[in-house]
Amino acid sequence: MRFWVGAYAGDAGSAEGIGILQAGDADSVWASGPLGMVGTAVAAPGSASWLAAHPTHDLLYAALESDGTVQAYRRTSETRLTPVGPAIEAGESVCHVAVSPDATFLVASCWSDGRVVRIDLDAAGRPSRPVIAAEATDPWGSDSAESGVSTGARVSGAVVPDLAAAARALREAAGDEYGDLVPAYDVPAYDVPAYDAVPETDAESEEAAIGPRVSRSHQAIFLPSGLVATTDMGLDLVRFWRPGQSGLRFVQQVVLPKGSGPRHGLWHPSGHLYVVTELSREVFVLAPDAEGRWHIISGQPLVGSLDTDTAAELCASRDGSTLYAGVRGSDTIGVLAVRGAGEALQFTALADAGTHWPRHHVVVNDTLLVAGQLADEIVSLPLDARTGVPGRVRHRTASPSPTRLLPMR
């Protein structure tokens, strides 16, 4: 089968634009065969780092991260795309786009200025009229006591537990041998170790991990209830919105541990929202209560990841029983089993990603495809039928600065 490949171009990477990957036979729904790049579908010097497809039309939307715009493309042949209309201004370092299920709008998330932007789509799928949603504010302030956010307090519908005190107590109980496995909730955000393997041109630079705290929008997720959830990695927020004709109306926010850095998430058929945190390398489980207010239900650290690591993408197995979280630095894939009715996660393994800087990955039946951004390649890993744990690299192919793998319809 084939995939669209988003990638960094120009000063940020070595790609020319949006590529096409073939995994196995072109007409097969399996991706376990040899890998190969078919070519470049369209030039995109603005770095098409994220791609999303229109649900019915043969259209593709790209976040042109370096340009701060969203561009629509129409598929004109098996291997070619052509731009549709002008690029739409979104915001600095736009890094994600998501299309609404009814195809009436898309949401763009912007890294550098923290914008969440609603962009209209007409009946033909052409984008227009960007509307910027309400800005996020730091729930922790410069100091949690000064900002009125005390441990155990409710902040806009979210319970902020005393995680700092709990971390200190757990570390003391664990002793020197196991204390370093306790997540550093008691370490201020500006003390989080800096990235040591991110290129200077990558928008996710060292500034993300150290002072000052600023809004860093990273993803939008459409929920079956009609809400849109967005992650703000800089301010440790998951915000919920109700779409309307005039834009996005803020509903509530859930505050994650300070310095955790919520990056990407996925909705699970059990009704839970799973969110991976880039800086603390954990997966949190969020769920609504009887009144529809969202809360943190549980969390699971990616055991064995290093303090200098940063988590990236989160995806699920075909049946939803297993989650896969990419970890950059040590270049691993965290494997978590979904337990109970989806409210709990159990860490299973930390497997070798088989490539350097696993920026994005996707499950296709019995195969995990991984985009190794800094290795300039895409690899395939077989998934164990019983445990779901990825095995050793089965196939690999050169691919310049890959950042997103999107299955073709």
Side-chain angles (χ1 to χ4, degrees), residues 104-188:
T104 59
F105 68 97
L106 61 80
V107 178
S109 301
C110 304
W111 169 261
S112 289
D113 57 19
R115 286 182 178 180
V116 174
V117 186
R118 182 193 190 276
I119 300 176
D120 281 348
L121 298 177
D122 66 15
R126 292 184 296 259
S128 66
R129 205 176 72 89
V131 178
I132 303 170
E135 294 183 6
T137 57
D138 192 349
W140 298 98
S142 58
D143 180 87
S144 60
E146 294 178 1
S147 66
V149 180
S150 59
T151 55
R154 184 174 293 277
V155 182
S156 300
V159 174
V160 183
D162 192 354
L163 291 171
R168 288 191 292 268
L170 284 171
R171 194 174 295 110
E172 182 177 349
D176 294 339
E177 185 176 358
Y178 299 106
D180 59 344
L181 296 179
V182 179
Y185 294 135
D186 53 333
V187 178

Side-chain angles (χ1 to χ4, degrees), residues 9 13 17 42 44 68 92 102 113 137 176-177 211 262-263 332 344:
V42 65
E92 294 182 37
D102 64 2
D113 57 19
T137 57
D176 294 339
E177 185 176 358
R263 177 184 171 94
T332 51

Side-chain angles (χ1 to χ4, degrees), residues 383-389:
L383 297 176
D384 185 276
R386 183 177 60 85
T387 66
V389 175

Side-chain angles (χ1 to χ4, degrees), residues 188-204:
Y190 50 81
D191 285 340
V192 176
Y195 305 167
D196 62 357
V198 181
E200 293 181 0
T201 53
D202 192 340
E204 299 160 359

Side-chain angles (χ1 to χ4, degrees), residues 75-328:
R75 186 174 180 177
T76 55
S77 73
E78 288 297 311
T79 59
R80 297 299 299 172
L81 296 167
T82 187
V84 177
I88 305 299
E89 294 288 335
E92 294 182 37
S93 304
V94 55
C95 59
H96 188 274
V97 286
V99 182
S100 66
D102 64 2
T104 59
F105 68 97
L106 61 80
V107 178
S109 301
C110 304
W111 169 261
S112 289
D113 57 19
R115 286 182 178 180
V116 174
V117 186
R118 182 193 190 276
I119 300 176
D120 281 348
L121 298 177
D122 66 15
R126 292 184 296 259
S128 66
R129 205 176 72 89
V131 178
I132 303 170
E135 294 183 6
T137 57
D138 192 349
W140 298 98
S142 58
D143 180 87
S144 60
E146 294 178 1
S147 66
V149 180
S150 59
T151 55
R154 184 174 293 277
V155 182
S156 300
V159 174
V160 183
D162 192 354
L163 291 171
R168 288 191 292 268
L170 284 171
R171 194 174 295 110
E172 182 177 349
D176 294 339
E177 185 176 358
Y178 299 106
D180 59 344
L181 296 179
V182 179
Y185 294 135
D186 53 333
V187 178
Y190 50 81
D191 285 340
V192 176
Y195 305 167
D196 62 357
V198 181
E200 293 181 0
T201 53
D202 192 340
E204 299 160 359
S205 63
E206 178 178 326
E207 182 187 355
I210 57 177
R213 287 172 59 85
V214 295
S215 180
R216 304 281 194 193
S217 296
H218 217 295
Q219 188 196 29
I221 308 152
F222 287 91
L223 306 177
S225 63
L227 294 178
V228 180
T230 61
T231 59
D232 192 312
M233 195 191 130
L235 300 182
D236 305 312
L237 296 172
V238 177
R239 295 196 287 170
F240 294 85
W241 311 83
R242 179 73 64 183
Q245 291 297 322
S246 59
L248 298 175
R249 179 176 61 83
F250 176 75
V251 175
Q252 74 157 114
Q253 65 188 24
V254 173
V255 183
L256 271 65
K258 189 175 183 181
S260 57
R263 177 184 171 94
H264 278 196
L266 62 90
W267 180 85
H268 191 263
S270 65
H272 297 86
L273 178 65
Y274 302 129
V275 178
V276 66
T277 56
E278 179 167 336
L279 302 180
S280 66
R281 305 168 308 284
E282 299 165 271
V283 180
F284 284 91
V285 181
L286 279 61
D289 59 22
E291 298 178 350
R293 302 288 291 179
W294 286 79
H295 306 274
I296 297 173
I297 302 301
S298 64
Q300 172 62 56
L302 300 174
V303 180
S305 59
L306 306 177
D307 287 343
T308 50
D309 285 343
T310 56
E313 180 63 4
L314 182 69
C315 74
S317 61
R318 183 175 157 183
D319 63 1
S321 65
T322 307
L323 302 184
Y324 300 93
V327 180
R328 301 168 295 183

